[in-house]
């Protein structure tokens, strides 16, 4: 073998890289175990913050680098948010009431539901129709777009600006959502913009147990505000008075105000921390007993360290562990009596750098100056913001620009507050409170503080967006309970382990101990490399990812089978072991390369057009195929050649008594029975088409739009019983009930109740109606609707997952599915044409592949309600169809590769004989490969859990019929396309 050095170097590098990246999972587990030994949550966090893995990597970096568990395995929440593009356009036009504009907006909204064009194109087309002779600049030459659109701007220029502004609005909304998710404390969230879907943002949040809180958080508008402030010396006496009132049980005292010096004296006895200065940067920690004693004397000031004079709006510091308790005090009824009515106390967004200590936050005093209670200046005046470095200090900061109205109000605000601070607040927390040294005119200013470079980038984007340009609405939502995740992990691991063991046993039984174990070691190395590469991508392991990994192992066997079968042929031809090994690897290479590349093409299409679980499956499948090609074709050959060079394994056998004569000397006239096989194909096609019209296809929520609720009951419930309840509960709406599994305890209920409504209260309304109806019929016994909606409380019946998909999502998925299947067929047609340089092979393989897809879809229609699991058509099913196409083409490529080889070896031989001989010669490989893959799929089908059963069933059908179509459809059609006539005779 040539290039041995490259193979060895690649193997070593892959091994080291895999060990390195997989070690982060081990390190994280170790640190989590050590942290769990500490009872105090803050102490646990302090321990994790002190971690330096390998002396470099922080705990957070380890967490980000390790291979994590996806949403379906860990449980949590999956949400797709939509930023309304029509609302953004209306906002850019300052909500004009021009008849032509409003009519065009309305028509474009309606047309968007049925068109593949984007909203802006539809709006411009409608406006030109409804307002002939008028230009877009008449509508969009607004203060909002000042400097970008003027009355002389052409329509094309305005359109360009609109598209840029919409893109910017979506990007800014993405940053706002990311900031909120980070503030919520989700570990390893996955937040991404959905490509090809303007305004769509997908948020995956493992571990979420408060879905209603998250709904409100995601759907609210971001609020940027600029506030006037109090100086600390004005507010600290009030805090002291509140502390005294609390110590006296809330009773009033004769002392109305406390002197600032006295306040400092009270808290100086046992200070929690001190301000940073050159003389003293130490922090004295109180013991728990001392703290409890201090809290009795000073309920507020024992937790809250006042800042002293000359601190501007900064009045105090507190540990993050005490902020909740402090909030209860400063927002209490007693506080309203003591503190000034125009005072607003807010925490800093980040821990302070003014004190020596971790997780110490600042408390700022804001002044309410308007009757409405709103800030004097809000984020809608900010036109631009960018991150930069301060010219003098070199520290990161943010500069911002305002529109003319904002600049005027900003100048007035800064002029009135010289010597005081202006607090910049976003989403209720203070990002910065800089001192005003003088009036700032021109609308230009900068924000500096305890910022990293990443902080200023995010803050600049957030400032640029201010409020969200349009409210975000949830168009798809899924809540998965953690128990379901644990079950999926267990089922996935069991199916994976059993499939792996069975594969190893099969290879030893078919190819003897040493060759079989060599193939098995290659599978283990393949698995090791696949996990290492996945971890290097910082991918999350999902249930569909596990399925992709298991399936890649099944298809990886194909390369070993091809090589071993060719070696067996060369040995039977009388070659020695060295020559047979070389010829076997060389002759099998083209078939392995072509079959692997066609599978990768399908995987790429899956990744490009798929979302969520489909992408997870595609990623692991592609990586697994690449790794299997490297290990089977190069690494195993390296080992065999090394052993033979040492005069070992020269008498090796690649068969056992069971497989020695398997499918040998077979001369079945496959081509001669084409009329029978074509007749069966025609009959099956008619039956399937008739089933589509009579029985239809069970469409999931992905295609119909609506709400799905998976409810787990304590006692068995028949779907028919639930359908009656749903029909009464949601009259006039489409409803259905489908049993999941075979125990009739888990039912999926669907309804399109008020699906067109954008109100966030409709979700709660529908769930409440469902709970009341089921409880009235005695099907659930939960005490409250909140318990019914909690996936952690299963006793009495509860919703374990809920899904909401709007019609637009269903439309996107439908078109994407059709395009992806057609594109896969076209891509494979072109690839076969390029590789085999004969259109006959492309035609034969494409028609056979189309029939394979038809068989799977048709059987899903025929067997729905017959098999004990759901046969709905959903996104995962589309992935299964594409994977069937990718797998099925492997068989066809192998057969066609042998036909091409035999045509070159025997150019004068009869074509029909060549075709028959080629099919018979590859029969052993076909049976072995199909058997191993089917073995894997059956393990997934029966042991992998209900979430993956439809996928495994579709794939199993694809393997069986894909193998048959390679022999009985693809080859005869290719032969006939060559213009040959098939004679019905024995080959």
């Amino acid at each position: 073998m040539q290039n041995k050095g490259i193979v060895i170097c690649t193997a070593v590098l892959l091994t080291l890289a895999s060990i390195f990246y997989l070690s982060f999972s081990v390190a994280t587990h170790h640190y989590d175990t050590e942290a769990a030994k500490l009872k105090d949550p803050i102490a646990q966090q302090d321990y994790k913050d002190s971690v330096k893995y390998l002396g470099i990597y922080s705990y957070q970096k380890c967490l980000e680098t390790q291979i994590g568990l996806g949403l379906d395995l860990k449980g949590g929440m999956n949400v797709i948010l939509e930023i309304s593009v029509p609302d953004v356009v209306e906002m850019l036009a300052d909500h004009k009431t021009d008849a032509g504009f409003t009519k065009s907006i309305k028509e474009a909204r309606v047309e968007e539901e049925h068109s593949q064009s984007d909203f802006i194109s539809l709006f411009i087309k409608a406006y030109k129709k409804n307002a002939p002779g008028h230009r877009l600049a008449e509508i969009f030459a607004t203060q909002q777009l000042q400097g970008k659109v003027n009355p002389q701007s052409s329509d094309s220029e305005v359109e360009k600006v609109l598209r840029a502004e919409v893109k910017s609005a979506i990007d800014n909304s993405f940053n706002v959502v990311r900031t909120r998710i980070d503030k919520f404390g989700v570990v390893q969230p996955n937040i991404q913009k959905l490509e090809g879907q303007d305004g769509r943002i997908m948020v995956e949040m493992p571990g979420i147990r408060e879905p209603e809180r998250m709904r409100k958080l995601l759907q609210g508008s971001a609020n940027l505000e600029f506030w006037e402030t109090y100086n600390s010396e004005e507010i600290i006496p009030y805090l002291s008075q509140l502390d005294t009132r609390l110590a006296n049980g809330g009773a009033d005292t004769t002392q109305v105000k406390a002197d600032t010096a006295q306040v400092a004296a009270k808290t100086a006895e046992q200070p929690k921390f001190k301000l940073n200065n050159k003389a003293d940067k130490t922090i004295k920690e109180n013991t728990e007993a001392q703290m409890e004693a201090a809290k009795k004397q000073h309920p507020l000031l024992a937790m809250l360290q006042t800042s002293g004079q000359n601190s501007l709006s900064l009045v105090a510091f507190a540990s993050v562990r005490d902020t909740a308790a402090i909030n209860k005090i400063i927002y209490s009824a007693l506080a309203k009596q003591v503190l000034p009515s125009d005072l607003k106390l807010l925490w800093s967004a980040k821990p302070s750098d003014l004190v020596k200590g971790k997780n110490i936050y600042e408390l700022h005093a804001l002044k309410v100056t308007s009757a409405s209670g709103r800030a004097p200046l809000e984020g809608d005046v900010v036109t631009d913001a960018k991150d930069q470095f301060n010219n003098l200090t070199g520290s990161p900061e943010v500069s911002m620009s305002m529109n003319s109205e904002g600049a005027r109000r900003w100048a007035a605000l800064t002029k009135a507050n010289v010597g005081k601070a202006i607090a910049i607040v976003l989403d209720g927390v203070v990002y910065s409170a800089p001192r005003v040294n003088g009036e700032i005119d021109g609308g230009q200013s900068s924000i500096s503080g305890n910022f990293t470079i990443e902080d200023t980038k995010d803050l600049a984007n957030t400032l640029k967006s201010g409020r969200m340009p349009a409210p975000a609405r949830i168009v798809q939502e899924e809540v998965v309970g953690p128990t379901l995740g644990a079950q999926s992990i267990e089922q996935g691991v069991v199916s994976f382990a059993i499939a792996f063991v069975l594969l190893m046993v099969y290879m030893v039984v078919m190819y003897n101990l040493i060759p079989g174990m060599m193939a098995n070691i290659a599978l283990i190395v393949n698995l090791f490399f696949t996990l290492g590469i996945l971890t290097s991508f910082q991918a999350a392991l999902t249930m569909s990812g596990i399925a992709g990994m298991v399936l890649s192992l099944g298809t990886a066997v194909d390369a070993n089978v091809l090589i071993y079968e060719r070696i067996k042929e060369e040995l039977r031809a009388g070659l020695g072991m060295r020559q047979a090994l070389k010829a076997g690897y060389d002759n099998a290479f083209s078939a392995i390369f072509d079959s692997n590349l066609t599978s990768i093409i399908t995987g790429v299409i899956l990744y490009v057009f798929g979302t969520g679980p489909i992408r997870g499956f595609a990623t692991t499948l592609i990586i697994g195929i690449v790794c299997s090609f490297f290990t089977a074709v190069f690494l195993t050959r390296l080992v065999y050649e090394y052993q033979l060079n040492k005069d070992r394994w020269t008498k090796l056998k690649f068969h056992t008594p069971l497989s020695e004569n398997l499918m040998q000397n077979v001369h079945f006239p496959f081509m001669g029975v084409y009329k029978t096989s074509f007749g069966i194909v025609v009959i099956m096609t008619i039956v399937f088409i008739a089933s589509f019209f009579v029985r239809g296809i069970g469409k999931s929520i992905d295609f119909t739009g609506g709400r799905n609720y998976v409810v787990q009951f304590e006692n068995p419930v028949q779907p028919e019983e639930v359908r009656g309840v749903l029909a009464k509960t949601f009259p006039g709406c489409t409803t259905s009930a489908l049993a999941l599994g075979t125990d009739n305890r888990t039912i999926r209920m669907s309804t399109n109740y008020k699906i067109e409504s954008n109100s966030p209260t409709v979700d709660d309304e529908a769930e409440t109606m469902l709970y009341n109806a089921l409880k009235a019929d005695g099907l659930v016994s939960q005490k409250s609707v909140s318990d019914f909606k909690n996936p952690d409380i299963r006793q009495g019946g509860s919703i374990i997952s809920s899904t909401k998909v709007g019609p637009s999502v269903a439309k996107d998925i439908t078109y994407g599915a059709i395009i992806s299947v057609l594109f896969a067929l076209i891509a494979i047609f072109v690839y076969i044409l390029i590789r085999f340089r004969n259109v006959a092979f492309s035609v034969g393989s494409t028609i056979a592949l189309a029939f394979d897809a038809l068989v799977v879809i048709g059987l899903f229609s025929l067997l729905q309600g017959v098999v004990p699991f759901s046969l709905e058509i959903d996104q995962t099913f589309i992935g299964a169809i594409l994977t069937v196409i990718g797998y099925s083409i492997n068989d066809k490529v192998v057969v066609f590769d042998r036909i091409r080889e035999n045509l070159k070896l025997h150019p004068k031989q009869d074509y029909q004989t060549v075709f028959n001989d080629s099919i018979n010669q590859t029969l052993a490989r076909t049976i072995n490969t199909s058997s191993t893959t089917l073995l894997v799929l059956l393990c997934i089908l029966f042991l992998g859990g209900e979430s993956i059963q439809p996928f495994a069933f579709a794939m199993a059908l694809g393997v069986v019929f894909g193998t048959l179509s390679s022999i009985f459809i693809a080859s005869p059609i290719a032969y006939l396309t060559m213009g040959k006539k098939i004679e019905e005779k024995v080959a």
Side-chain angles (χ1 to χ4, degrees):
M1 183 179 69
Q2 297 178 343
N3 301 318
K4 290 183 180 179
I6 295 177
V7 174
I8 295 172
C9 182
T10 302
V12 171
L13 290 176
L14 275 175
T15 301
L16 293 175
S18 297
I19 291 173
F20 173 73
Y21 282 107
L22 290 174
S23 70
F24 283 95
S25 298
V26 178
T28 305
H29 177 73
H30 169 72
Y31 296 138
D32 286 338
T33 303
E34 293 299 314
K37 297 177 182 178
L38 304 173
K39 296 182 179 180
D40 185 5
I42 302 299
Q44 291 180 359
Q45 189 60 48
D46 288 343
Y47 168 76
K48 292 177 180 178
D49 289 343
S50 67
V51 162
K52 286 295 180 183
Y53 177 58
L54 300 178
I56 302 174
Y57 301 100
S58 66
Y59 173 82
Q60 186 62 33
K61 185 63 178 177
C62 292
L63 205 62
E64 293 172 357
T65 308
Q66 71 168 354
I67 185 165
L69 297 179
L71 187 72
D72 53 353
L73 297 182
K74 193 171 185 179
M77 194 173 186
N78 185 349
V79 168
I80 293 180
L81 286 171
E82 182 179 66
I83 311 301
S84 174
V85 176
D87 288 344
V88 175
V89 173
E90 286 189 280
M91 181 268 298
L92 294 173
D94 280 349
H95 300 279
K96 283 188 171 61
T97 56
D98 176 82
F101 173 73
T102 55
K103 185 178 180 182
S104 301
I105 287 285
K106 185 176 180 180
E107 289 180 0
R109 283 181 185 268
V110 174
E111 182 66 21
E112 189 184 23
E113 295 295 325
H114 313 287
S115 173
Q116 287 299 290
S117 299
D118 61 271
F119 178 82
I120 292 178
S121 299
L122 295 172
F123 162 72
I124 293 174
K125 179 181 177 182
Y127 185 75
K128 289 180 178 179
K129 181 188 71 173
N130 295 323
H134 291 269
R135 302 167 65 190
L136 290 171
E138 298 174 26
I139 298 295
F140 293 101
T142 62
Q143 188 171 4
Q144 179 75 19
L145 295 176
Q146 187 175 8
K148 300 177 181 177
V149 175
N150 58 62
Q152 285 73 44
S153 298
S154 65
D155 285 355
S156 60
E157 290 173 338
V158 175
E159 180 180 355
K160 185 177 180 181
V161 170
L162 289 179
R163 293 189 183 280
E165 289 297 309
V166 167
K167 183 179 184 301
S168 177
I170 294 169
D171 291 343
N172 293 331
S173 299
F174 176 83
N175 287 314
V176 171
V177 169
R178 184 177 62 182
T179 300
R180 292 180 176 189
I181 298 300
D182 290 342
K183 290 289 292 179
F184 194 83
V186 178
V187 177
Q188 290 186 309
N190 177 28
I191 309 169
Q192 63 185 89
K193 286 170 282 194
L194 297 182
E195 298 177 6
Q197 302 180 40
D198 286 344
R200 292 286 172 84
I201 301 171
M202 184 183 73
V203 184
E204 291 183 331
M205 300 164 287
I208 294 296
R209 298 192 183 188
E210 302 172 272
E212 290 185 25
R213 178 184 170 194
M214 184 55 71
R215 287 173 190 165
K216 294 176 182 177
L217 181 72
L218 292 176
Q219 294 183 113
S221 295
N223 193 8
L224 175 67
E225 301 165 326
F226 301 87
W227 288 88
E228 295 185 53
T229 64
Y230 278 104
N231 283 336
S232 58
E233 56 265 26
E234 299 177 89
I235 299 303
I236 290 177
Y238 287 101
L239 294 176
S240 176
Q241 182 188 355
L242 178 58
D243 181 66
T244 304
R245 291 279 298 272
L246 289 167
N248 287 281
D252 199 358
T253 62
T254 56
Q255 184 181 8
V256 178
K257 291 186 178 180
D259 183 79
T260 305
Q262 293 175 329
V263 173
K266 288 182 179 180
T267 56
E269 296 175 4
Q270 296 292 341
K272 295 176 66 182
F273 36 75
K274 293 182 180 180
L275 292 177
N276 276 346
N277 54 59
K278 294 181 180 178
D280 186 4
K281 293 186 178 181
T282 61
I283 294 177
K284 298 179 181 179
E285 297 290 345
N286 289 321
T287 63
E288 291 185 11
Q290 290 175 322
M291 179 57 70
E292 289 303 318
K295 283 184 178 181
K296 290 181 181 179
Q297 294 181 352
H298 303 290
L300 176 61
L301 296 182
M303 297 182 291
L304 196 65
Q305 175 69 40
T306 53
S307 60
Q309 299 183 16
N310 302 320
S311 297
L312 296 178
S313 65
L314 172 56
V315 295
F317 302 91
S319 171
V320 66
R321 75 173 80 187
D322 296 325
T323 54
I326 294 171
N327 285 341
K328 288 182 180 180
I329 294 175
I330 62 178
Y331 299 138
S332 65
L334 179 60
K336 291 180 181 179
Q337 299 174 19
V338 177
L339 301 178
S341 59
D342 60 350
L343 173 65
K344 188 181 182 77
L345 294 170
L346 291 180
W347 296 102
S348 59
K350 294 187 65 180
S352 176
D353 63 345
L354 299 176
V355 293
K356 182 72 174 179
K358 294 181 179 179
N359 298 316
I360 306 301
Y361 282 76
E362 302 171 354
L363 186 65
H364 290 264
L366 280 56
K367 181 187 291 187
V368 180
T369 56
S370 64
S372 63
R374 296 180 63 176
L377 193 62
E378 297 183 345
D380 53 1
V381 301
V382 175
T383 58
D384 194 17
K386 60 182 180 180
D387 58 299
Q388 61 183 28
F389 293 95
N390 187 284
N391 293 330
L392 298 176
T393 65
S395 58
E397 65 178 19
V398 176
S399 66
M400 60 183 179
S401 305
M402 300 180 183
N403 58 28
S404 57
E405 174 63 17
R408 183 187 63 80
R409 292 161 58 190
W410 181 242
L413 188 63
T414 51
K415 183 178 181 180
N417 288 274
V418 173
K420 304 188 75 172
I422 296 290
I424 300 171
V425 178
L426 178 70
D427 282 346
V429 293
V430 178
Y431 271 73
S432 179
R435 178 193 297 270
V436 178
N437 295 320
E439 178 185 353
I440 304 175
D441 54 14
Q444 295 288 334
S445 60
S446 62
I447 307 168
S448 59
N450 179 24
F451 295 140
T452 63
I453 296 175
E454 291 75 17
D455 291 335
T456 54
K457 288 182 182 294
D458 292 343
L459 182 54
N461 287 326
T462 305
L463 286 171
K464 188 176 180 180
S465 65
R467 290 180 180 271
M468 275 195 180
R473 66 186 181 99
I474 294 175
V475 294
Q476 180 175 332
E477 171 194 321
E478 184 176 5
V479 177
V480 183
T483 304
L484 184 63
Q487 183 182 2
S488 297
I489 294 173
E490 182 181 352
Q491 291 171 330
V493 170
V494 168
S495 64
F496 181 90
I498 293 178
F500 197 78
V501 170
L502 289 178
L503 275 178
M504 294 178 72
V505 172
Y506 186 91
M507 293 302 291
V508 171
V509 168
M510 296 303 295
Y511 295 105
N512 222 318
L513 180 62
I514 292 178
M517 288 308 298
M518 278 295 300
N520 292 335
I521 292 171
L523 289 180
I524 294 173
V525 174
N526 173 33
L527 174 62
F528 175 68
F529 286 164
T530 301
L531 285 174
I533 295 173
L534 276 175
T535 308
S536 71
F537 291 164
Q538 297 184 8
L541 190 61
T542 63
M543 189 65 203
S544 55
I546 291 176
M549 196 176 299
V550 174
L551 186 60
S552 70
L553 289 179
T555 53
V557 175
D558 183 41
N560 291 298
V561 170
L562 276 169
I563 293 168
Y564 288 175
E565 290 297 327
R566 291 307 297 252
I567 292 174
K568 286 166 65 177
E569 288 183 25
E570 304 301 337
L571 289 172
R572 290 192 195 98
L575 293 180
M577 178 57 67
R578 296 176 191 273
Q579 294 80 9
L581 189 78
K582 182 180 184 305
Y585 273 95
D586 291 344
N587 292 332
F589 182 86
S590 62
I592 295 171
F593 181 82
D594 286 336
S595 61
N596 277 252
L597 191 55
T598 49
S599 294
I600 289 175
I601 290 173
T602 308
V604 170
I605 295 171
L606 276 170
Y607 186 85
V608 171
F609 291 99
T611 58
I614 301 299
R615 283 194 165 190
F617 173 81
T619 302
T620 53
L621 184 63
I622 292 170
I623 293 173
I625 290 172
V626 172
C627 291
S628 70
F629 182 80
F630 177 73
T631 54
V633 174
F634 296 111
L635 282 188
T636 56
R637 183 173 184 175
L638 202 65
V639 175
Y640 279 120
E641 289 186 354
Y642 175 81
Q643 292 292 341
L644 289 174
N645 289 335
K646 297 290 185 180
D647 290 328
R648 294 192 288 260
W649 295 2
T650 54
K651 303 296 182 180
L652 205 59
K653 292 184 179 180
F654 286 83
H655 60 80
T656 64
L658 180 65
S659 63
E660 184 174 5
N661 296 312
L662 181 66
M663 293 297 155
Q664 298 301 314
N665 300 317
V666 178
H667 300 286
F668 188 84
F670 291 105
M671 301 296 290
V673 297
Y674 80 102
K675 288 185 178 179
T676 302
S677 58
F678 284 7
I680 294 173
V681 167
V682 170
I683 293 172
M684 291 177 67
T685 302
I686 293 172
V687 171
F688 293 148
I689 293 175
S691 179
F692 295 152
F693 284 103
V694 177
R695 292 175 58 84
I697 300 176
K699 296 179 181 178
S700 74
I701 201 71
D702 294 337
F703 290 92
T704 61
R707 292 177 175 82
N708 271 1
Y709 301 103
V710 177
V711 178
Q712 190 174 83
F713 297 90
E714 272 194 310
N715 301 312
V717 177
Q718 294 301 318
E720 292 76 14
E721 187 179 0
V722 176
R723 290 190 192 112
V725 174
L726 292 175
K728 291 185 295 182
T729 307
F730 303 104
C733 301
T734 302
T735 58
S736 66
L738 181 70
L740 299 179
T742 58
D743 60 356
N744 288 329
R745 294 178 188 272
T746 306
I747 306 291
R748 176 184 290 168
M749 308 172 197
S750 305
T751 177
N752 61 353
Y753 174 74
K754 289 186 179 181
I755 194 62
E756 72 287 346
S757 173
N758 294 333
S759 173
T761 62
V762 173
D763 297 322
D764 293 333
E765 182 183 338
E767 291 168 354
T768 302
M769 292 171 65
L770 182 63
Y771 164 73
N772 291 333
L774 293 174
K775 187 168 185 179
D777 277 54
L779 298 179
V780 298
S781 58
Q782 293 282 17
K783 294 180 180 179
S784 66
V785 66
S786 60
D787 288 347
F788 175 68
K789 292 190 290 185
N790 190 337
D792 291 332
I793 305 176
R794 299 293 177 90
Q795 190 173 2
S798 67
I799 297 176
I800 60 174
S801 74
S802 62
T803 309
K804 175 187 175 185
V805 182
S808 58
V809 172
K811 177 185 69 176
D812 294 338
I813 293 171
T814 303
Y815 283 109
I818 295 172
I819 290 172
S820 58
V821 171
L822 292 177
F823 191 75
L825 291 174
I826 293 171
I828 289 173
F829 181 93
V830 172
Y831 179 78
I832 296 296
L833 180 62
I834 293 172
R835 285 292 292 168
F836 289 87
R837 301 177 185 273
N838 193 321
V839 73
F841 293 122
S842 292
V843 172
S845 59
T846 304
I847 292 176
L849 290 175
F851 178 72
D852 295 339
L854 176 66
V855 168
V856 177
I857 299 172
L859 287 174
F860 263 59
S861 173
L862 279 173
L863 298 178
Q864 59 178 323
V866 177
V867 295
F869 47 83
S870 170
L871 290 182
E872 288 183 344
I873 306 297
D874 57 11
Q875 292 187 70
T876 307
F877 176 80
I878 299 303
I881 292 295
L882 286 171
T883 310
V884 164
I885 292 174
Y887 175 81
S888 182
I889 193 63
N890 286 0
D891 277 329
K892 294 157 183 60
V893 166
V894 171
V895 174
F896 289 165
D897 184 78
R898 183 58 69 93
I899 291 172
R900 177 177 57 181
E901 181 183 338
N902 285 334
L903 285 174
K904 291 179 180 179
L905 292 175
H906 312 288
K908 296 183 179 181
Q909 193 171 26
D910 175 61
Y911 267 45
Q912 184 170 335
T913 302
V914 171
F915 270 66
N916 273 327
D917 288 348
S918 299
I919 296 172
N920 282 292
Q921 288 167 10
T922 56
L923 207 54
R925 171 263 162 204
T926 299
I927 291 176
N928 279 332
T929 299
S930 300
S931 299
T932 53
T933 308
L934 196 59
L935 196 65
V936 171
L937 290 169
L938 290 177
C939 288
I940 299 175
L941 178 63
F942 293 112
L943 302 172
E946 63 187 29
S947 62
I948 205 69
Q949 280 179 326
F951 175 86
F953 183 66
M955 279 300 304
L957 294 176
V959 168
V960 174
F961 286 95
T963 302
L964 294 175
S965 70
S966 302
I967 298 171
F968 295 102
I969 300 177
S971 298
I973 289 177
Y975 184 84
L976 293 171
T977 306
M978 290 178 178
K980 307 293 182 180
K981 182 180 179 182
I982 298 178
E983 298 180 11
E984 298 184 31
K985 64 179 183 179
V986 176

